[in-house]
Amino acid sequence: SLSIEYTDGSGWLSATLNTTTAPATVSVVPSASGLAAGTYNATLRIVSPTAANSPLAVPISYTVAQAPTIEVSTNSRSFNMSTAVASAPPQTVAITNGGGGSLTGLTATVNYTSGAGGWLTATLDATTAPTTLRLQATRGTLPAGSYNAFVVLASSVASNSPRMIAVSLLVTQAPSIGLSATSRSASAGQGNGSSSLPSITVTNIGGGSLTGLGGTIEYVSGPRTGWLTASLNNSTAPAVLSMSVNAGSSGAPLPLGTYTARINITSAVADNSPRVVNVTFSVGLSLVNSGVFNAINPSCSGCHNAFIAPNIGTPALFRSNMVGVPTVRRVGYPLASTYPTRIVAGNATLSYLTYQLAHTSGAYRMPTAGSPIALSVRNLIRDWINGGAHP
């Protein structure tokens, strides 16, 4: 038979005989369950009533080593970012072995507890301690709000596996650029100088404070740059964007054509920077600078200045008495009902003056083709009307 006497602890050893008659084998099995690290001693006694040396004492020693444990430099990490940025600066957690042996087979997995998932990545530099856990929070399309997750650290050899690290993410609403309008258009006569566009108000339609506002001009199409100026009266919203266009001077006119540009409104703290204001500028013929008035004046202004209405003796009178002024509807006034306005700015087809220039006979006709109002002059005036009939 067998008996066990414990010097240290109890119950950690079991012993069995495979038979009660020699020859026989004794099997001993220790168990570390419930034991702290250390060395434990016991005596196994083998007893037989027929043996001269009974009982036989067999000393047994059992050493329990300290198991590895997962130790972390912190139990939590938190990230903060606004909707203006894509990701927050990465953070780390140091992982060490707080027990004995070697802490191997480490793994890190992410579990989300509230809010949308997918925003956290957790990677280990190595699977054996000591190592570093690297955490990266990426906003993606997450709106403003609070999000929570935890990283599970595990190892099959660690006595305290798994360990949890709580991770939180706070996304705040960033400032956003709001514009009272996103486009402006203007037209001017060639060489007529500078003219202002209606201003645009820049506001913050997001959270926080919209600071660091700036505006830059990007020329898109047109014969040349420099025709547009733009400025903000404040670098913090609310602000006013002022704009002006310049058709050049009579001595250095801007070429005829349509010009387009973009004004980029930017802010480093805004989540929708840049916002774009599109500007279109059409440069047409000018009554004065293009020579339109000089072409028509010698033939017409003498009579109209002296005794025939409308008076077109000066460029200002010509334009004010012709553009947008209805014709007199009476018998013998050809097509006055079809073309009821002398000059419709931007549309020569609907202008009665175009009819008069194209017809050289009949009541209220223009002079004949042999006069200064020849075909080339008529075309010049037609183009001037179509270009906006600018002064």
Side-chain angles (χ1 to χ4, degrees):
S1 64
L2 302 174
S3 65
I4 301 173
E5 295 179 2
Y6 292 97
T7 304
D8 306 295
S10 62
W12 52 267
L13 184 64
S14 63
T16 58
L17 280 167
N18 68 337
T19 179
T20 58
T21 301
T25 300
V26 179
S27 297
V28 291
V29 179
S31 173
S33 178
L35 297 181
T39 300
Y40 298 83
N41 295 284
T43 300
L44 174 64
R45 297 186 183 277
I46 303 173
V47 180
S48 173
T50 62
N53 60 344
S54 178
L56 176 65
V58 180
I60 296 176
S61 178
Y62 180 42
T63 299
V64 178
Q66 177 66 47
T69 59
I70 302 171
E71 299 299 326
V72 295
S73 58
T74 181
N75 290 317
S76 63
R77 282 285 187 238
S78 60
F79 292 91
N80 293 276
M81 70 178 76
S82 75
T83 53
V85 298
S87 61
Q91 299 188 42
T92 61
V93 177
I95 301 173
T96 57
N97 180 8
S102 179
L103 178 56
T104 59
L106 284 165
T107 61
T109 57
V110 177
N111 288 334
Y112 297 95
T113 57
S114 66
W119 52 267
L120 180 64
T121 57
T123 56
L124 290 164
D125 284 353
T127 58
T128 299
T131 188
T132 300
L133 174 68
R134 300 188 182 278
L135 303 174
Q136 177 68 67
T138 304
R139 186 177 64 84
T141 59
L142 290 178
S146 297
Y147 305 89
N148 294 281
F150 58 86
V151 178
V152 181
L153 293 173
S155 169
S156 61
V157 300
S159 62
N160 63 340
S161 179
R163 287 292 304 271
M164 308 293 185
I165 299 176
V167 183
S168 64
L169 170 63
L170 176 63
V171 179
T172 57
Q173 181 62 54
S176 292
I177 301 171
L179 301 176
S180 59
T182 57
S183 64
R184 285 288 183 255
S185 62
S187 62
Q190 186 182 41
N192 281 356
S194 179
S195 56
S196 297
L197 299 175
S199 61
I200 292 176
T201 303
V202 182
T203 57
N204 180 12
I205 57 175
S209 179
L210 179 55
T211 59
L213 285 170
T216 58
I217 297 173
E218 179 184 355
Y219 293 97
V220 179
S221 65
R224 70 181 189 189
T225 63
W227 51 268
L228 175 64
T229 59
S231 62
L232 288 164
N233 71 337
N234 198 350
S235 62
T236 299
V240 175
L241 175 67
S242 299
M243 298 157 286
S244 65
V245 291
N246 195 318
S249 64
S250 57
L254 200 66
L256 298 174
T258 299
Y259 300 72
T260 60
R262 288 190 287 262
I263 303 174
N264 298 307
I265 306 300
T266 59
S267 168
V269 301
D271 62 1
N272 62 343
S273 179
R275 289 294 306 277
V276 175
V277 177
N278 293 296
V279 180
T280 302
F281 183 36
S282 298
V283 178
L285 293 172
S286 162
L287 180 65
V288 176
N289 294 320
S290 68
V292 173
F293 181 74
N294 292 337
I296 198 172
N297 185 50
S299 175
C300 303
S301 64
C303 293
H304 281 272
N305 188 26
F307 53 86
I308 299 177
N311 186 338
I312 60 172
T314 67
L317 285 172
F318 180 94
R319 190 171 188 278
S320 65
N321 285 327
M322 297 292 278
V323 175
V325 178
T327 59
V328 178
R329 301 188 185 190
R330 62 176 181 235
V331 177
Y333 205 15
L335 298 181
S337 297
T338 303
Y339 308 101
T341 302
R342 289 192 176 94
I343 295 177
V344 179
N347 196 328
T349 302
L350 297 181
S351 299
Y352 188 81
L353 178 60
T354 304
Y355 169 80
Q356 289 181 296
L357 291 171
H359 295 77
T360 56
S361 63
Y364 302 99
R365 63 177 174 80
M366 298 300 290
T368 64
S371 73
I373 307 297
L375 179 62
S376 60
V377 177
R378 293 199 299 269
N379 289 342
L380 182 67
I381 294 174
R382 179 200 62 198
D383 293 342
W384 171 70
I385 296 173
N386 283 333
H390 301 289

